[in-house]
Amino acid sequence: MSHPFHDVWWFLQRLDIVDERGARRRLHPLHPEQRAIVDAFLAHRKIIIEKCRQIGSSTVLCALFFWKQFISPLSQNSLHIAHDDDSAKRMIAILRGFNEGIPRRLRPRLVPDNQHQIGLSHNGAMFASLKAGGRGQGRSYTYQNVHATEMGRWTHAVAAATAGRARADREAWTSVLSTMHTTADSHVVVEGTAHGPGKFYDLAARAQRPDSDWTFLFFPWFFFLEYQRDPPDDWVRTDDEEELSGRYPEMGRPHEVGTAEHTEQVNRRLAWR
């Protein structure tokens, strides 16, 4: 009989997260967007996540990579790449917090254990978290898994670190992929918010093509109930808003398209926009 640890939902419900204030709390319950990310992670190996705001995607992805490597009988390494050094350190702190929540008799020692790396003593799994475009870019190891967070912000962050060199974010991504030793079990997950042209824009566009080998998840602003307001009495939709509402009928969820309730919900979101 397999251990309950192999059930990802069972495992995630028992993980602790240490927030930025140092307070410890349960990761569970997950937001609907986080649950959709878990489903995609279990079903696919290459995933692009485009989101409008902070939805806890980096946190739940760290949890998934921790689960995957914790239960693996073989040593696996994952490389987590962020747009700045503070975010990179934050991901290691999240991963360390997950391990600290494991029952003491089952908890592996962390070797090494520093601001940018932790390793699990029971199977040799390694997690490294670095800044995009940073020196070395994780080349001391090979990685079976890659998690690129806030890639939409790499364009400016990496350019600033390279004196504005054009295409620096694309070069940084190429450098990351060069550290990978891809296996049938490898995961590559990229997430971020659109910030204009750059590597994230390229990957998100590619992921939406019918022949793409990427899975695309999109969490637009109109999925979130707080992004709405009552329209003014004289408010009418512009042509752009009519086109947007036709392209995304789910803007009026959870009501059925064509009903008065659906139209009201769409108008409230468009008025907020």
Side-chain angles (χ1 to χ4, degrees), residues 86-129:
D86 286 345
S87 298
K89 293 176 181 176
R90 172 69 184 146
M91 283 196 286
I92 287 294
I94 289 172
L95 290 160
R96 183 183 295 111
F98 292 154
N99 193 65
E100 290 171 353
I102 299 293
R104 185 177 296 276
R105 64 186 178 86
L106 300 172
R107 184 190 313 157
R109 291 181 300 110
L110 297 183
V111 183
D113 181 6
N114 56 56
Q115 289 185 321
H116 289 287
Q117 259 183 347
I118 60 171
L120 304 181
S121 61
H122 72 296
N123 63 3
M126 181 76 68
F127 304 86
S129 187

Side-chain angles (χ1 to χ4, degrees), residues 64-106:
L64 287 165
F65 282 111
F66 182 81
W67 165 75
K68 177 183 180 180
Q69 295 185 199
F70 181 89
I71 66 171
S72 176
L74 302 175
S75 174
Q76 290 194 23
N77 299 332
S78 63
L79 178 59
H80 304 257
I81 301 290
H83 67 288
D84 62 29
D85 196 53
D86 286 345
S87 298
K89 293 176 181 176
R90 172 69 184 146
M91 283 196 286
I92 287 294
I94 289 172
L95 290 160
R96 183 183 295 111
F98 292 154
N99 193 65
E100 290 171 353
I102 299 293
R104 185 177 296 276
R105 64 186 178 86
L106 300 172

Side-chain angles (χ1 to χ4, degrees), residues 184-251:
D185 191 41
S186 291
H187 274 93
V188 180
V189 185
V190 177
E191 40 118 351
T193 302
H195 282 271
K199 187 60 184 178
F200 182 68
Y201 177 92
D202 296 345
L203 286 175
R206 174 182 167 187
Q208 296 174 71
R209 296 203 306 251
D211 60 344
S212 176
D213 58 348
W214 289 89
T215 295
F216 183 64
L217 299 182
F218 181 42
F219 301 111
W221 56 269
F222 50 75
F223 273 19
F224 304 96
L225 294 178
E226 61 267 38
Y227 296 159
Q228 59 179 301
R229 69 182 181 91
D230 290 328
D233 292 339
D234 59 349
W235 184 84
V236 293
R237 296 183 188 180
T238 65
D239 290 343
D240 286 344
E241 288 167 341
E242 286 287 3
E243 192 273 335
L244 186 65
S245 65
R247 187 190 307 172
Y248 298 111
E250 63 269 32
M251 191 184 303

